[in-house]
Amino acid sequence: MKKVLHLALAGLLALGTASFAVAQQGSQPAQSSAGDQKMQQRITREVRHELAFKVDGNTVTLLGQVRNAVLKSDAEHVVKHIEGVEQINNQIETLPPSPNDDRIRAQVARAIFNDARLFPYAIQSLPPIHIIVKGGHVNLEGVVRDQGDKNEAGIRANEVPGVFSVQNDLQVENSTQAKK
């Protein structure tokens, strides 16, 4: 079942229209049993591989933005079928349709992924850099190898005409190794 869920959500994300921010909070009451904690940990592991979430007991909160309302409901439907999930709080925001935002999104993607340093991210089946555009404001989310890649992605996004601002929320994969 996990493989089916992974493929289904990978298909949703591969459409290039969904970007999800990762925000996990696993608060568990002190009096909960070890079985409940194991179930919450398993749910957390399965959902973490698929999209943004917050887990509280058997409740999963979905977070992020999509360009298509169908993806919002599809994401909820897929997570609903993970064993142990009893309730879903779908807080995924559907971005308003905007030809200008679509143009900016495409140009930012070209600017980032055509850069020789960042090109390896483009050839992955699910690129780890997510570009979210709302009202001309760009948010970069995901994971990159090092601080230099994060900085370069931000610079490239800022160079695109029509971009009002860039929020670079990319996470550095091995931040502890970068400090050594």
Side-chain angles (χ1 to χ4, degrees):
M1 181 169 194
K2 182 176 179 181
K3 186 174 184 178
V4 172
L5 291 173
H6 177 72
L7 291 173
L9 283 168
L12 287 173
L13 295 174
L15 292 174
T17 57
S19 297
F20 298 101
V22 176
Q24 174 202 339
Q25 294 178 352
S27 57
Q28 183 70 25
Q31 70 270 22
S32 66
S33 70
D36 288 344
Q37 288 176 347
K38 284 183 182 181
M39 180 177 287
Q40 180 172 336
Q41 289 170 351
R42 185 187 54 72
I43 291 170
T44 299
R45 275 193 316 272
E46 287 192 32
V47 176
R48 178 181 295 143
H49 290 294
E50 316 310 344
L51 50 94
F53 65 96
K54 181 171 74 173
V55 176
D56 187 12
N58 295 336
T59 300
V60 176
T61 301
L62 302 177
L63 306 165
Q65 300 86 19
V66 295
R67 290 178 33 218
N68 183 332
V70 171
L71 291 173
K72 176 179 178 173
S73 62
D74 285 352
E76 180 175 344
H77 180 73
V78 170
V79 172
K80 187 183 300 184
H81 289 89
I82 295 174
E83 183 182 338
V85 175
E86 293 179 7
Q87 188 173 11
I88 298 173
N89 179 7
N90 193 341
Q91 294 184 7
I92 296 172
E93 174 188 8
T94 302
L95 297 172
S98 169
N100 190 49
D101 284 352
D102 292 344
R103 178 193 58 78
I104 290 171
R105 189 177 300 104
Q107 288 182 338
V108 169
R110 275 193 296 278
I112 289 173
F113 297 129
N114 284 339
D115 183 278
R117 178 183 185 132
L118 302 173
F119 179 75
Y121 296 106
I123 59 175
Q124 297 180 29
S125 59
L126 292 173
I129 298 174
H130 306 288
I131 303 163
I132 302 162
V133 182
K134 184 176 180 183
H137 300 276
V138 175
N139 191 8
L140 301 177
E141 298 180 353
V143 179
V144 292
R145 282 184 303 271
D146 57 43
Q147 187 66 39
D149 288 356
K150 176 180 178 173
N151 295 342
E152 189 70 20
I155 290 167
R156 296 291 164 237
N158 268 308
E159 292 174 342
V160 172
V163 169
F164 295 127
S165 68
V166 174
Q167 177 70 37
N168 191 343
D169 290 329
L170 291 169
Q171 301 296 310
V172 175
E173 188 174 66
N174 295 319
S175 58
T176 56
Q177 290 180 348
K179 293 177 185 176
K180 292 180 182 180

